[in-house]
Amino acid sequence: MAVSMYPWQQDAWTRLQAMRARLPHAILFHGPAGVGKADFIETFAQALLCENVRPDGHACGTCASCGWFAQGNHPDYRRVRPEALEDEVPAAEGEDAPAEEKKTKTKTASKEIKIEQVRALADFMNISTHRQGLRVVVLYPAESLNMPASNALLKTLEEPPPGTVFLLASNGLDRLLPTILSRCRKFALPMPEHAEALAWLEAQGVQDADGWLREQGGAPLAALAQAETGSREELDGLLQILAQPSVDAALRSADKLSKAPLASLVAWQQRWLYDVFSYKLSGVIRYYPRYQRELAALAGRVNVANLVQAIKSTNERRAVADHPLSPKLFVEDMLLDYIARCGAGAV
C-alpha cells in the first residue's frame, strides 16, 4: 500500500508536524473532494507508525513497520471506508481515495460506512499494540457514516482508548453530526492554487489540463480522473440541456444521465449556475469557458430572482444526492426545477 503526497500539500504537512508533540486522539481533515485528503492522511498514518521517522516528519520507508504498512497488513493500523470505494473509481465521482487503489466500479457495494465496520474496531482497540507504539484508525469519507455507525463512532470518540489515534477525512463538515465535529481537532486541506494544480496536471501529461481542471472546480485529482477517461459525454449531455432548457429534452435524457454519479450532476449544475450568475454580474466565466456563447445568452435573459432560487434549490439538492429514492426521478426533478426557473417561460 504505497502512499503519496502532492506538491500543494507541503505547507499543510509542515503545519501538521506542529501537532505531533501533543497529538489529539482524533483529527478531522476536511476540504473539497479531489484534493488528495485520503492520500494525505494515509501518509500521516504511516509516519505515526514508523519506527525511524525522518526529520521532516515522513516515514523512513525502510523499517519493519513501514514494510508492513506498504504491504497493507500492519497489525496496529485499520482503515474504514465504504465497500464501494474498494471497487470503484472514486476521484471521478468526487471521492477522495488513494490513486493507486482505483479499480472498476461495481453497483452492488454499499456507499455507506456501516455500524458493523465501526464495531469491528472494538477488538482491535482492546488489545496491546504489536510494537508498543500507537494504534491508528483511518476513516473516510466521514460523511458516508450512516446514523447507527455515526453513533457507534461517537461513543468511541467520547471515551477514546489510550494510544489510539483516529484520522478522519471529510468533503463537507456540514454533513457530519455536530457531536462528532466537537470531538475532533479539525485540520483544513484547501484547494490548491489554480496555477499549481495546472502545473501538476500538465506534468502528468494531461492534454487540455486547464479545461479539465476548471470543469472539476479546481480539484486536480478529479480533473486527472476525468481526463483519463477522455470523455465529457455525461457532462456535455447535462450542459446542453442547461444551455437550452427544454422539458422534452430533460425527460428524454433523464434515464441516461441518472447512470452518472448524482453528486457529480448536482456539482456540475451548481458550477453552471455560478457561471451564469458571475457572467451576469461581471462578465466572468470560471468553470465552462467552452460554453461562453450559451452562458452569455442565458445570463442575458434570466431573471436574477429566479437564478438565485435555482442556485438555492440546487444547493439543497446536494444534501440528498447520495441517497435518492430513484436516480431517474431525482434527475427529472432537478432538471424540471431548473427549467421552471431558467427556461424560456420563466424569464
Side-chain angles (χ1 to χ4, degrees), residues 93-241:
E93 303 186 8
E95 299 287 357
D96 267 311
E100 77 282 355
E101 295 184 7
K102 297 167 190 172
K103 302 175 185 178
T104 304
K105 182 170 70 174
T106 68
K107 296 182 179 179
T108 58
S110 173
K111 295 183 179 181
E112 296 182 335
I113 294 175
K114 300 178 180 180
I115 189 171
E116 294 81 8
Q117 293 173 271
V118 178
R119 285 176 173 168
L121 296 172
D123 290 341
F124 167 68
M125 293 185 295
N126 288 329
I127 60 175
S128 299
T129 59
H130 189 78
R131 305 288 280 190
Q132 289 74 52
L134 288 173
R135 184 186 296 110
V136 180
V137 177
V138 158
L139 185 150
Y140 62 85
E143 58 270 21
S144 67
L145 286 156
N146 63 26
M147 189 56 67
S150 292
N151 290 330
L153 178 64
L154 179 59
K155 292 179 181 179
T156 301
L157 295 179
E158 287 174 338
E159 299 179 7
T164 302
V165 177
F166 285 83
L167 305 178
L168 291 75
S170 173
N171 298 328
L173 296 184
D174 58 336
R175 298 163 64 190
L176 300 180
L177 288 179
T179 45
I180 288 182
L181 293 177
S182 68
R183 285 162 177 79
C184 299
R185 175 82 65 84
K186 289 176 276 297
F187 190 95
L189 290 174
M191 194 79 78
E193 294 292 331
H194 184 85
E196 186 173 29
L198 180 60
W200 180 80
L201 283 173
E202 290 174 341
Q204 311 311 306
V206 174
Q207 301 295 316
D208 187 23
D210 185 70
W212 291 111
L213 185 61
R214 290 183 184 279
E215 290 169 1
Q216 295 303 315
L221 298 189
L224 177 62
Q226 283 298 111
E228 286 177 342
T229 70
S231 173
R232 289 185 169 102
E233 182 180 357
E234 293 171 338
L235 172 62
D236 284 340
L238 175 66
L239 296 186
Q240 287 165 13
I241 295 173

Side-chain angles (χ1 to χ4, degrees), residues 4-52:
S4 59
M5 203 171 67
Y6 302 98
W8 55 87
Q9 296 176 333
Q10 295 297 331
D11 289 344
W13 183 261
T14 301
R15 286 190 289 115
L16 185 61
Q17 301 317 301
M19 300 172 61
R20 293 285 290 266
R22 299 185 63 182
L23 197 65
H25 72 276
I27 307 176
L28 175 58
F29 297 84
H30 62 95
V35 298
K37 295 186 296 299
D39 284 315
F40 187 86
I41 66 174
E42 295 205 23
T43 299
F44 188 47
Q46 180 176 356
L48 291 177
L49 294 166
C50 177
E51 298 169 16
N52 188 25

